[in-house]
Structures are given as C-alpha cells and as structure tokens.
Amino acid sequence: MAGPPRLTSGQPSTEGHPTLEQTSGIPGGRATIIDVAAAAGVSRQTVTRAMNGMSGISAATKQRVLAEAERLAYRPSRFGRGLVTGGDHQLGLVVNDLRNPYTPQLASAVFRLAAEQGWNVMLADVDLASDADRMVQALGAQTDVVIGYLGSRRERWRELLGTVPMVELDPYSEPQTAAVWIDPADAIEVLADHLVETGVRHPVVLDNSAPDDTSVRGALMVDALRRRGYLPDLVHGAHGTAECGAEETTRILGRKRRLDAILAFNDVMALGVLQSCRRAGVDVPGDVRVVGVDGLPLGALVAPTLTTLAVDLDAVAREALGLALGMLAGELPLQGATVQRTVRHSLLLRESA
C-alpha cells in the first residue's frame, strides 16, 4: 500500500557515530511510522498504540512493533505524540448517499455497535462530497480503520489511505483488503421458487444499472428466473430511487405487455413501483406482485406492506467491526480470505407478494 511521502533528514551524521542507514536500514533519512508499520506487518495505527502503551493490541504484536522500532531507530515526532488523545478507537465510515434510506439504517447500526465497543465514528458521504478523494484521505489521517462502500474507486482510495486498514462492504469484485460480502444469491433462489409456487408467469426485473452493465443482483435474479423456465424482461433504471422506480414502472405498464410480478433492485425503487401501480389502478398483489431488496423498515409502513429480500444490517456492522478490531490488535492479517465474511439476505414475505 502506498503511504504519504516520507520526510528525510538532510543533516550529516556526526563523526564517530554510525549513519542512519547503518542503524535503521532506511536509505536517505530517518525512519517513519510507515517504515515501522511495514517492517512489523501492521498498520500505522497499531504502531501508534504500541509506542504509546495504548490498549487494543496483543502483547506479542506490541513486542514485535517495539522491536522493529528499536531496530530502525524510530522515534515518534513531538507533533505525532501530541495527537494521541486516549485509548478510544477512531472508526471511519464511508457511505455513498445519506438521502437513500438504506444508508442511515446502516450508519445507525455501525454507530450503535461501535459505541458498545468504545469506538468513536467519523462519517464521510463521498457521493455528496465536493472532493471525495480529499475527504477519504482526511478520514484516513484521523482514524484507526476505515470501513464502508468503496465501489470502483477502492484502488485509488487504498493508495490514499496508505497503511490504514480497510474493510470493504459488499465489494463489486474480489477485494485486496478485508471485506464483508452482502450476498442475496440464496434468497433470490427462494424467491424464484415462491414465484413459481404462487403462479407467476411473466416477471419483470427492474435493475439499477446502465443497459450494458447489469448489476450483480439483477443478473442473479434474471438467471434464477430463467433456470425455472421464465423469460423475464430486464429493465434498466438509471437511479436506485423511488422516483426512478415509479417512472420505469409507468413505462412498463404502458407497454400493454403481460406482466404479473416486478422484482426491484432495492426497496426504495420498489416503493416507487407500488406508487405507480396504485396511480394506474393496478392491484398489488392481485394483478402484479412487487418485491424489493434490503428489508428497510419503511416497507412495513406502506400499504400493501412490501415483500423484500432482507439483510441484517446489525450483522453487517458486527462482522465489519470484528474484522477491524482483529486487524488493529494484530490478530488478523490486513488482507486475504481469512479477513472476509459473508452476510446473506433472507426472503421476508409481506402483502405485496
């Protein structure tokens, strides 16, 4: 992982004393916290904790860090020591849009569980930021670990964060960092069986994607339906919003084609589907069954109540925080299969299907 540039000393060594290169093995200048972290195989936050006698790391990890610091002749700067304010972990949470009801539900789960562990949480909404890169870099400078949705920008942000451990939520492909996968595959299979059992014949998948870039979730839905003999329509909605769900449903209903189920990318789009059906005089679930994904509490407050593929966001937060604590303590590696967890959706049947 790339870190911030290293400051070097331009002062020559005193005659009769070994040079810095001879004592530390770091060419060109004094060793930094980044050098110690790399040599010990830990994060720079773990180095800070070891050097300052703080809690949250194992005795073996602390001893290893101190040994490398001594070998490299590392001394924390006065400024760096001044930033140490106590033993509380500082957690950075990256989210992508607080206007989406899913995001505050996730954030509240993280905040609640973090508080139980004595952590402080700093929140960064990168979709609403004027400079997301700068926000993420600042978050890394002030926190022990960063978790959240990183998407296609994760490699760039990984470089900006340097040695700060990362826990990615629901990665779009195999990550190089710790991760918590949020997997709807099993629940989609259960849903597809339910649609067969209830006599659905003409389902539509309403995805949040571009026409040439179907989402993983949308592809799983289409595949599960096709394996059961369906020929589902796949509709691409540009935004995962209720407005987009309503607009696309109006278009779907206007085609005058037969349909009896709409599977939306998320609960928010599904709420728009319900609104459009109501305005068009389409009975749900009598004429069309409607299903969302996420299990948001909002789904229980509408009429008809929304059937959904629900995910336990407390479990997502618990797995992510567990990985973060293990990495900071030096008990878990910073990347690899051993620091990946999976939380699965489940079918929550309500009135709409």
Side-chain angles (χ1 to χ4, degrees):
M1 297 182 185
R6 195 170 65 216
L7 296 176
T8 59
S9 171
Q11 297 180 350
S13 60
T14 304
E15 184 177 357
H17 290 76
T19 66
L20 181 61
E21 293 184 18
Q22 291 172 324
T23 58
S24 72
I26 303 298
R30 62 178 289 189
T32 71
I33 191 172
I34 303 298
D35 301 316
V36 178
V42 299
S43 70
R44 62 180 175 82
Q45 286 74 15
T46 299
V47 175
T48 297
R49 292 183 178 280
M51 297 299 294
N52 290 280
M54 298 164 64
S55 62
I57 62 173
S58 67
T61 299
K62 178 179 179 180
Q63 192 60 40
R64 185 169 76 252
V65 171
L66 293 178
E68 290 297 337
E70 183 177 359
R71 182 180 70 82
L72 297 173
Y74 168 70
R75 294 293 181 271
S77 69
R78 178 182 61 81
F79 176 71
R81 287 196 301 271
L83 293 178
V84 179
T85 57
D88 288 347
H89 288 294
Q90 305 295 323
L91 170 68
L93 176 61
V94 176
V95 297
N96 33 33
D97 193 347
L98 283 166
R99 296 169 299 184
N100 184 331
Y102 174 87
T103 303
Q105 286 294 131
L106 171 67
S108 66
V110 172
F111 271 76
R112 184 172 62 256
L113 293 176
E116 292 175 3
Q117 297 289 334
W119 289 46
N120 296 320
V121 181
M122 299 182 66
L123 180 69
D125 187 334
V126 292
D127 274 13
L128 299 180
S130 59
D131 187 339
D133 288 355
R134 183 177 180 182
M135 175 177 281
V136 169
Q137 190 169 31
L139 193 69
Q142 301 174 72
T143 57
D144 295 302
V145 64
V146 171
I147 70 173
Y149 286 86
L150 308 177
S152 61
R153 295 176 283 190
R154 71 181 183 196
E155 296 305 322
R156 182 166 72 254
W157 289 346
R158 185 167 174 251
E159 293 180 358
L160 293 176
L161 290 171
T163 60
V164 180
M166 293 168 52
V167 181
E168 185 172 4
L169 299 181
D170 203 18
Y172 70 96
S173 63
E174 192 68 30
Q176 296 185 24
T177 62
V180 178
W181 298 85
I182 305 176
D183 185 4
D186 292 346
I188 287 173
E189 296 294 324
V190 175
L191 171 62
D193 286 339
H194 173 72
L195 297 179
V196 172
E197 293 168 2
T198 53
V200 168
R201 293 289 181 268
H202 306 286
V204 173
V205 173
L206 175 55
D207 197 24
N208 173 208
S209 60
D212 58 346
D213 190 22
T214 302
S215 72
V216 172
R217 186 179 298 176
L220 287 171
M221 289 180 176
V222 170
D223 178 65
L225 293 171
R226 285 176 176 169
R227 283 188 281 104
R228 288 162 176 80
Y230 291 112
L231 295 174
D233 283 343
L234 175 60
V235 176
H236 300 273
H239 307 286
T241 63
E243 292 78 9
C244 183
E247 291 170 3
E248 294 299 335
T249 301
T250 298
R251 294 190 185 98
I252 293 169
L253 297 174
R255 296 172 185 172
K256 305 300 183 183
R257 297 177 62 178
R258 298 175 64 188
L259 74 143
D260 52 10
I262 299 177
L263 282 56
F265 175 83
N266 60 22
D267 284 352
V268 178
M269 294 185 81
L271 294 176
V273 174
L274 290 176
Q275 180 188 66
S276 183
C277 286
R278 182 174 65 252
R279 288 177 174 174
V282 174
D283 180 63
V284 177
D287 299 323
V288 175
R289 292 171 174 82
V290 177
V291 181
V293 179
D294 286 334
L296 298 181
L298 283 173
L301 302 178
V302 296
T305 54
L306 180 64
T307 292
T308 182
L309 305 185
V311 62
D312 184 347
L313 293 179
D314 281 351
V316 173
R318 190 162 48 247
E319 294 288 3
L321 290 170
L323 289 174
L325 189 59
M327 290 189 294
L328 288 174
E331 298 167 354
L332 292 173
L334 300 182
Q335 59 186 38
T338 57
V339 284
Q340 295 189 19
R341 304 288 185 267
T342 299
V343 177
R344 303 185 188 279
H345 294 69
S346 60
L347 176 61
L348 178 56
L349 282 173
R350 296 195 183 116
E351 295 166 347
S352 70

